[in-house]
Amino acid sequence: MVLLLLLGALALWAASGLTWATEAVQRPGAAATTVERSGADVAPQLVPLAVLCAAAVAAVVALSGWVRRVLGAVVLAAGLGAGWVAATTGGTPLPKAVALLGAVLVLAAGVLLLLRGQTMPRLGGSYQTPAAAKRSANPDKDLWHALERGDDPTERS
């Protein structure tokens, strides 16, 4: 899921830097010049959507539970928005294809977050400070924590 978000953000960012259109500009008294328009000019929404997807990587790792599902809905909306921008904005086929690829990757990450977000582990989710571990009143839980630390709970001194 994190990889999908990273690749999606990278594709959206790359699409914003590609040339989407070239225009011939005629200035009075001067020769015609060709101006290249990048994705940031033609579709300025791509860069903020890419930044949102990159920030969502950190949020996916840090959040858990229903908040992660809400994040999945936000990521899904970002993917839909990126797809809409890529499909409706005029331009050459290559940058539009790169933007659509990024949108599909972000959409896939959003769907996975919605469906499987609660089952993913959270960063630091099983960590307890030593003081909190000592305060535990559940002896069965204490045995499991001792095993996690690598202690043998059967050897009591």
Side-chain angles (χ1 to χ4, degrees):
M1 200 167 320
V2 170
L3 185 61
L4 285 173
L5 277 172
L6 281 174
L7 291 174
L10 183 63
L12 292 174
W13 195 288
S16 73
L18 294 174
T19 301
W20 281 57
T22 55
E23 297 176 355
V25 178
Q26 178 68 43
R27 293 197 176 98
T33 58
T34 302
V35 177
E36 292 183 349
R37 304 260 183 213
S38 70
D41 297 330
V42 176
Q45 304 90 343
L46 292 177
V47 174
L49 287 171
V51 172
L52 174 80
C53 294
V57 170
V60 165
V61 174
L63 299 175
S64 65
W66 65 270
V67 180
R68 193 179 276 171
R69 283 199 170 177
V70 171
L71 176 67
V74 170
V75 168
L76 185 66
L80 288 172
W84 177 260
V85 167
T88 60
T89 305
T92 57
L94 176 65
K96 288 181 75 159
V98 172
L100 281 172
L101 173 67
V104 167
L105 291 170
V106 172
L107 277 170
V111 168
L112 282 174
L113 268 173
L114 279 173
L115 297 178
R116 310 278 297 165
Q118 288 183 317
T119 61
M120 291 176 40
R122 194 184 85 156
L123 180 68
S126 64
Y127 176 75
Q128 269 190 328
T129 62
K134 288 179 184 176
R135 285 194 305 258
S136 175
N138 187 346
D140 292 334
K141 198 172 188 180
D142 290 338
L143 289 174
W144 282 110
H145 287 299
L147 287 171
E148 286 178 348
R149 286 191 307 270
D151 299 337
D152 185 0
T154 61
E155 291 180 5
R156 303 274 181 192
S157 44

